[in-house]
Amino acid sequence: MNLRSVQLFRMIVRTGSLASAADRLGMSPSAASRMIGVLEHELKLTLFSRRNRNLDLTGEGREFLRRSQHILEGLERLTDIAAQVRSVDSDPLRLVSTVPLAISVFSPVLAIWQAENPGVRSVLNIETRFDLESKVAAREYNLGILSLPVENAIVDLDVEPLVSARYEVAMARGHRLANRETLTIQDIVDEDFVALRPAQRWRKRLDAMAMSHSFAPRIVSETSSSAAALDLVRNGLGVTLADRIHAGLQEDERLVLRPLEPDMWTDYCLVTGKGRTSVATRDFSNRIRAWLTERCYSSPALARVLRFAPEAVSSRPARSLPATAN
């Protein structure tokens, strides 16, 4: 498919005129008309109705525009993306994550890394999972962090294992189960649950766990925000399913997490665009790994609920991790 024909389609929609779109793209109206005809033939869609020399979007055209909007917008950023690729070693460190992982991992490590690299500028943005994967693949960001599996099958990413985190039950510090070292599924079947909305990642995990152990969680509150779910739990509304990477590795005066038995794990990874990465990106990735292993050395409780793939600890100190982390 000719990308110029897709650009022409978007320009016609924006200007409302074939002639205006053709003029802006430096072609004749007749050439533009032929190009749109070829595009419709390739797509097997009728994008425009042709009445009284006007081009109006058909129902198929409107649906194609809606579903391809992010791709069409990306085409307009190709020049900027090319500049970013050319200057991969001179650009700021551009990081992207969802809110929970930005708070729990990127933020504390970024503070350390920038103190070690004064004068280096960084960007930390928040995106949905789908946009995160797409924009890292397009090199709008140098590095992202997310839980597996990768959802957007059409993007091309380099995926590096980082850490696995054990499922835990998060509850208010005064909860009746807070003094237990570990919990079983049977311990929580009668608890009130705070849950994310259906189809969100942690809600899927809760539903899958409940189905595999034949119980129905009593959900008393739903929210679309992981941060809000944890805050509702802090305030005693119920318990929720989480892990330390998702909920944060820092001590929380109002929240406790207790590992579940049998153990279940979430796998986290770092993602970059395919091909060459900047020195700063590689250095920051290594700093994340070192920070996580250092936290496990200093906290036996974390070492019990975090474990590392062999590829994920190549830059750790020479000494071995505690046996409970393996």
Side-chain angles (χ1 to χ4, degrees), residues 34 51 77 111 134 154 175 178 181 232 260 264 288:
R34 288 194 297 273
R51 293 192 296 254
R77 297 196 296 267
S134 300
I154 67 171
H175 193 278
E181 287 192 9
L232 290 169
L260 267 175
M264 293 161 280
I288 290 174

Side-chain angles (χ1 to χ4, degrees), residues 185-245:
I185 300 295
Q186 193 58 39
D187 291 329
I188 61 173
V189 294
D190 294 324
E191 293 297 317
D192 292 338
F193 275 83
V194 177
L196 294 184
R197 299 292 301 277
Q200 288 187 264
R201 186 57 65 98
W202 274 102
R203 177 59 177 273
K204 288 181 178 179
R205 291 175 181 139
L206 174 61
D207 291 343
M209 181 190 74
M211 181 177 293
S212 66
H213 291 85
S214 303
F215 82 97
R218 187 168 65 230
I219 296 172
V220 298
S221 181
E222 283 186 350
T223 175
S224 60
S225 164
S226 296
L230 290 170
D231 206 52
L232 290 169
V233 169
R234 288 186 187 93
N235 284 287
L237 189 58
V239 302
T240 196
L241 192 64
D243 64 37
R244 295 302 173 98
I245 300 298

Side-chain angles (χ1 to χ4, degrees), residues 2-58:
N2 189 332
L3 290 180
R4 192 164 173 78
S5 65
V6 180
Q7 290 176 307
L8 174 62
F9 167 73
R10 181 166 171 77
M11 190 62 69
I12 293 172
V13 172
R14 291 177 63 180
T15 63
S17 164
L18 175 68
S20 296
D23 182 63
R24 293 196 184 190
L25 293 177
M27 63 177 67
S28 69
S30 59
S33 180
R34 288 194 297 273
M35 186 173 286
I36 287 297
V38 170
L39 178 63
E40 290 180 316
H41 177 74
E42 290 177 335
L43 296 174
K44 295 181 174 56
L45 297 174
T46 302
L47 301 175
F48 295 101
S49 62
R50 295 162 174 81
R51 293 192 296 254
N52 300 323
R53 296 190 176 181
N54 292 326
L55 289 184
D56 298 317
L57 279 174
T58 63

Side-chain angles (χ1 to χ4, degrees), residues 120-260:
V120 178
R121 191 164 67 89
S122 66
V123 175
L124 173 55
N125 280 350
I126 304 301
E127 300 276 5
T128 64
R129 279 189 61 102
F130 185 88
D131 286 342
L132 184 158
E133 295 170 14
S134 300
K135 292 181 179 182
V136 170
R139 291 187 176 274
E140 291 186 47
Y141 298 108
N142 303 114
L143 184 70
I145 181 173
L146 47 77
S147 60
L148 291 173
V150 172
E151 292 184 335
N152 188 353
I154 67 171
V155 300
D156 207 4
L157 294 169
D158 280 333
V159 178
E160 298 181 17
L162 178 62
V163 66
S164 296
R166 188 173 175 178
Y167 283 21
E168 297 187 79
V169 179
M171 66 196 79
R173 191 162 288 276
H175 193 278
R176 67 180 185 85
L177 297 175
N179 292 328
R180 305 273 191 93
E181 287 192 9
T182 60
L183 298 174
T184 67
I185 300 295
Q186 193 58 39
D187 291 329
I188 61 173
V189 294
D190 294 324
E191 293 297 317
D192 292 338
F193 275 83
V194 177
L196 294 184
R197 299 292 301 277
Q200 288 187 264
R201 186 57 65 98
W202 274 102
R203 177 59 177 273
K204 288 181 178 179
R205 291 175 181 139
L206 174 61
D207 291 343
M209 181 190 74
M211 181 177 293
S212 66
H213 291 85
S214 303
F215 82 97
R218 187 168 65 230
I219 296 172
V220 298
S221 181
E222 283 186 350
T223 175
S224 60
S225 164
S226 296
L230 290 170
D231 206 52
L232 290 169
V233 169
R234 288 186 187 93
N235 284 287
L237 189 58
V239 302
T240 196
L241 192 64
D243 64 37
R244 295 302 173 98
I245 300 298
H246 172 76
L249 278 67
Q250 310 295 335
E251 280 293 324
D252 192 318
E253 293 181 354
R254 300 172 58 204
L255 190 75
V256 296
L257 287 94
R258 294 293 179 254
L260 267 175

